[in-house]
């Protein structure tokens, strides 16, 4: 009755070892094959960019001739775009996460909001481009000479003045294809990711921290501000910077918004600190000026007929990768620096 057992156990152990070895080999192959493909791609792009990526390329505007084409307008446009995106998305995202985790009751509405946030994080970026085109570029057709308000009220609303000190500068309504519309669209794109990452970071703080603070007489606000937020900063900062890194590389929403491909100027003509000192109104005009960005310039160069533009595009890709790697390095450093002082 007990004869087969001594022989079946070694067979099972041998089969288990074989399956374990095979599983480990498949995982190893998946990891290193992706690394090899990445190294080959980076090597090919870097090889193409050699001789084209120099100081003249970084400090020049775009040109019809590949040897004179530069990426300065893309860099300045990206700086404005991402600066405004961070200004809008970070406070809104972190504030929404704090409310959902610390204050909101567990009702059907809050559960539905959390579920929709998770779904919105996976929506293709081109959908956000269509939404931004309708909401921010055209503003649902409300303004302008042919807008609904003009036809209903009999007056044409074309914009509003910022101040007489800026020569009566008119901020257009609707915004049109300007930096502000692009920044608001990218804000919608990364906001769900920032909220979810911040929620996870807040959820990771042990409940005993909150209980101890409340037991000592602190209010809920003091507990969140002095205990929970400092403890969750590493996770929040990592989520924010990785989200902004994604926004920098996005092309589809900006193409849908109609960002310009060939730009020979900076937004608001602000291309140096000396210009800002002489013309401070440029800082007001820049968010409502037309723009381009690094991914858009790369997209335009790749489509050019001249073969030399492929090298120019490779140089632009190297610049974009450098900015992304720099941001990721900052995220890793901030996470390490903040988590060093945590002792749970």
């Amino acid at each position: 009755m007990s004869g087969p057992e001594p022989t079946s156990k070694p067979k099972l152990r041998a089969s288990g070892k074989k399956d374990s070895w095979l599983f480990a080999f498949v995982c190893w192959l998946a990891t290193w094959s992706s690394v090899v493909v990445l190294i080959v791609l980076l090597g090919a792009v870097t090889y193409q960019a050699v001789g084209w990526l120099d100081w003249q390329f970084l400090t020049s505007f775009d040109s019809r001739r590949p040897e004179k084409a530069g990426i300065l307008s893309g860099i300045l446009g990206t700086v404005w775009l991402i600066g405004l995106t961070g200004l809008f998305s970070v406070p809104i995202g972190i504030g929404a996460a704090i409310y959902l985790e610390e204050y909101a009751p567990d009702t059907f509405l809050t559960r539905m909001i959390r579920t929709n946030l998770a779904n919105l994080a996976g929506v293709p970026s081109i959908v956000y481009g269509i939404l931004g085109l309708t909401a921010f570029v055209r503003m649902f057709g409300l303004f302008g000479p042919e807008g609904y308000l003009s036809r209903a009220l009999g007056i044409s609303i074309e914009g509003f003045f910022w101040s007489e000190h800026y020569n009566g500068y008119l901020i257009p309504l609707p915004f049109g294809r300007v930096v502000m519309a692009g920044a608001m669209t990218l804000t919608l794109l990364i906001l769900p990711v920032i909220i979810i990452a911040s929620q996870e970071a807040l959820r990771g703080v042990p409940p005993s921290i909150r209980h101890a603070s409340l037991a000592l007489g602190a209010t809920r606000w003091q507990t969140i501000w002095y205990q929970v937020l400092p403890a969750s900063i590493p996770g929040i900062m990592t989520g924010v910077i990785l989200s902004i890194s994604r926004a920098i590389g996005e092309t589809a929403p900006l193409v849908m918004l109609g960002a310009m491909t060939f730009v020979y100027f900076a937004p608001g003509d602000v291309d140096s600190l000396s210009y800002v000192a002489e013309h401070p109104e440029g800082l007001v005009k820049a968010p409502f000026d037309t723009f381009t960005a690094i991914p858009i310039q790369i997209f335009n160069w790749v489509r050019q007929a001249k073969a030399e533009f492929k090298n120019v595009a490779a140089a632009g890709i190297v610049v974009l990768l450098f900015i992304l790697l720099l941001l990721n390095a900052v995220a890793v450093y901030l996470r390490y620096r903040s988590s060093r002082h945590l002792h749970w």
Side-chain angles (χ1 to χ4, degrees):
M1 295 295 291
S2 59
E5 291 183 359
T7 55
S8 62
K9 287 183 178 178
K11 284 183 179 178
L12 287 174
R13 281 197 293 268
S15 175
K17 288 182 179 178
K18 184 179 178 181
D19 292 343
S20 176
W21 179 87
L22 182 61
F23 180 73
F25 175 75
V26 171
C27 293
W28 177 87
L29 187 64
T31 302
W32 287 104
S33 60
S34 58
V35 172
V36 169
V37 170
L38 181 62
I39 291 175
V40 170
L41 289 176
L42 289 177
V45 170
T46 306
Y47 177 77
Q48 278 192 300
V50 172
W52 296 84
L53 181 57
D54 53 15
W55 186 247
Q56 181 270 334
F57 177 75
L58 296 174
T59 57
S60 301
F61 291 106
D62 205 353
S63 173
R64 301 291 183 190
R65 290 187 291 179
E67 63 274 9
K68 292 191 174 182
I71 201 170
L72 181 59
S73 56
I75 293 176
L76 295 174
T78 299
V79 169
W80 275 104
L81 198 63
I82 299 304
L84 291 174
T85 300
L87 188 65
F88 298 145
S89 61
V90 173
I92 296 175
I94 296 176
I98 291 175
Y99 173 74
L100 290 174
E101 283 301 313
E102 304 293 336
Y103 290 100
D106 186 19
T107 61
F108 172 77
L109 179 61
T110 54
R111 287 197 296 273
M112 188 174 67
I113 291 174
R114 291 189 181 101
T115 304
N116 284 331
L117 283 173
N119 292 330
L120 287 172
V123 171
S125 58
I126 190 70
V127 177
Y128 287 99
I130 298 172
L131 178 62
L133 178 67
T134 304
F136 306 124
V137 175
R138 298 175 179 170
M139 289 190 168
F140 305 101
L142 292 175
F143 302 101
E146 302 298 328
Y148 292 119
L149 290 179
S150 176
R151 283 181 284 176
L153 303 177
I155 56 173
S156 178
I157 303 175
E158 299 181 1
F160 59 94
F161 288 95
W162 175 260
S163 170
E164 294 181 355
H165 297 291
Y166 298 101
N167 299 322
Y169 174 64
L170 182 68
I171 296 177
L173 287 177
F175 287 151
R177 307 175 193 280
V178 298
V179 177
M180 184 64 76
M184 288 183 172
T185 303
L186 292 181
T187 297
L188 294 181
L189 174 67
I190 67 173
L191 201 53
V193 181
I194 292 179
I195 295 174
I196 292 174
S198 301
Q199 281 184 281
E200 292 296 331
L202 293 169
R203 209 173 293 152
V205 179
S208 57
I209 301 291
R210 296 177 176 83
H211 296 162
S213 177
L214 294 173
L216 291 173
T219 63
R220 177 179 287 189
W221 158 246
Q222 290 170 330
T223 300
I224 294 171
W225 184 256
Y226 292 106
Q227 302 298 330
V228 177
L229 269 181
S232 58
I233 277 180
I236 293 176
M237 290 300 298
T238 303
V240 167
I241 294 178
L242 293 180
S243 300
I244 291 179
S245 298
R246 179 192 174 188
I248 290 177
E250 282 292 346
T251 307
L254 300 181
V255 171
M256 182 56 66
L257 288 177
M260 300 178 70
T261 54
F262 184 84
V263 175
Y264 200 76
F265 55 85
D269 293 328
V270 180
D271 55 359
S272 64
L273 294 177
S274 59
Y275 182 87
V276 174
E278 297 175 2
H279 303 280
E281 70 274 11
L283 295 177
V284 178
K285 295 178 180 179
F288 303 97
D289 202 354
T290 52
F291 72 104
T292 188
I294 297 176
I296 296 294
Q297 278 199 295
I298 296 171
F299 176 72
N300 179 47
W301 287 330
V302 170
R303 293 189 308 163
Q304 297 297 318
K306 291 183 180 178
E308 291 81 0
F309 273 110
K310 303 295 185 294
N311 300 90
V312 180
I317 292 172
V318 172
V319 173
L320 182 60
L321 286 175
F322 175 77
I323 295 174
L324 291 175
L325 290 175
L326 184 64
L327 281 177
N328 287 334
V330 170
V332 172
Y333 173 75
L334 289 176
R335 184 180 181 86
Y336 169 74
R337 182 181 174 83
S338 302
S339 60
R340 226 178 16 171
H341 304 290
L342 296 179
H343 303 286
W344 292 342

